Amino acid sequence: QVQLVESGGGVVQPGRSLRVSCATSGFFFKSYSMHWVRQTPGKGLEWVAVVSSDGTDEYYADSVRGRFTISRDNSKNMVFLQMNSLRAEDTAVYYCARVYCSTPSCSQGMDVWGQGTTVTVSS
Amino acid sequence: DIQVTQSPSSLSASIGDRVTITCRAGQSISNYLNWYQQKPGKAPKLLIYAASNLQSGVPSRFGGSGSGTDFTLTISSLQPEDFATYYCQQSYITPLTFGGGTKVEIK
């Protein structure tokens, strides 16, 4: 069945780095753009980043641009989020999600989500 | 960035009620508007995509309408499993943006 499984979350000090991963299975990965969305405890959803289906285009939220990097490995059906210079306000549950679209923005919605991985930035 | 404003932020309703949630975009986004349901401790679930298209497996009591800047999610007859938080999201242009959410509670 279709699955997205995030991993790599944890507790990290401010200013340090962390990489979270999303392993996918059960669908043709190369046909989908992949997104990261985060949710602060008790708060709403915030879109973080997207990578196009072929990995050539990346876009970021203003709050993470220059600090976070999204990438994908189409040979391993995985997507990654490298997070540098972490701040307390980056503390959140990070979800990966897929969209059936080759470009970063289109009319399709995020139809499958992972269960999330928790990142806590604290000294 | 395109602001997406949802209203109300919360509502109380009874089983069987008709519930309407609205979403307004800061500029025209055509029909690039999606609706999600989220229950506590769970990932969001796609209900409606492209403003009015019911995602596979979603009950037909959920419906979406609108285009341009104004959109509506309607639950025609509220069921116990529908008590959750609902989010709209524009997918017209990056950065993609979500509404602030509407929490639907039991009256």
Side-chain angles (χ1 to χ4, degrees):
Chain A
Q1 74 277 25
V2 175
Q3 266 194 313
L4 306 180
V5 180
E6 300 94 338
S7 62
V11 179
V12 60
Q13 293 179 329
R16 304 299 291 264
S17 299
L18 194 68
R19 187 176 87 154
V20 292
S21 303
C22 174
T24 77
S25 59
F27 64 98
F28 191 63
F29 184 66
K30 294 177 185 177
S31 292
Y32 291 79
S33 60
M34 295 299 297
H35 298 250
W36 287 97
V37 176
R38 68 185 181 183
Q39 187 168 35
T40 305
K43 298 289 181 62
L45 300 167
E46 179 187 15
W47 176 80
V48 174
V50 61
V51 60
S52 59
S53 58
D54 62 2
T56 57
D57 290 325
E58 307 157 23
Y59 295 90
Y60 299 92
D62 292 345
S63 58
V64 307
R65 188 177 297 113
R67 299 188 299 123
F68 289 14
T69 302
I70 188 171
S71 62
R72 64 190 293 157
D73 185 335
N74 282 356
S75 68
K76 296 181 178 178
N77 297 341
M78 294 189 69
V79 61
F80 307 97
L81 187 67
Q82 176 68 41
M83 302 182 288
N84 298 331
S85 303
L86 281 160
R87 306 168 180 168
E89 54 265 35
D90 296 319
T91 295
V93 175
Y94 285 75
Y95 296 101
C96 64
R98 73 173 195 178
V99 177
Y100 184 60
C101 190
S102 59
T103 58
S105 54
C106 61
S107 61
Q108 304 297 314
M110 300 177 194
D111 69 334
V112 178
W113 297 60
Q115 85 288 351
T117 188
T118 300
V119 173
T120 302
V121 183
S122 174
S123 54
Chain B
D1 300 4
I2 298 180
Q3 287 272 75
V4 177
T5 304
Q6 236 180 290
S7 61
S9 57
S10 66
L11 65 90
S12 295
S14 301
I15 302 300
D17 282 355
R18 182 180 183 88
V19 169
T20 299
I21 299 169
T22 64
C23 185
R24 174 164 287 177
Q27 66 184 71
S28 177
I29 56 171
S30 184
N31 69 334
Y32 287 46
L33 193 285
N34 309 301
W35 290 97
Y36 300 87
Q37 175 195 68
Q38 188 180 32
K39 296 182 179 179
K42 299 292 188 180
K45 172 187 174 183
L46 179 65
L47 299 176
I48 302 287
Y49 66 94
S52 61
N53 295 273
L54 193 66
Q55 175 67 6
S56 176
V58 173
S60 59
R61 62 181 180 274
F62 290 94
S65 64
S67 67
T69 60
D70 294 314
F71 302 87
T72 300
L73 173 70
T74 301
I75 310 172
S76 59
S77 177
L78 198 65
Q79 298 302 301
E81 60 267 31
D82 300 338
F83 292 96
T85 300
Y86 294 83
Y87 295 93
C88 58
Q89 174 240 334
Q90 67 83 14
S91 57
Y92 184 72
I93 193 169
T94 58
L96 308 187
T97 43
F98 287 88
T102 297
K103 187 172 184 179
V104 176
E105 299 176 303
I106 301 172
K107 182 183 283 185

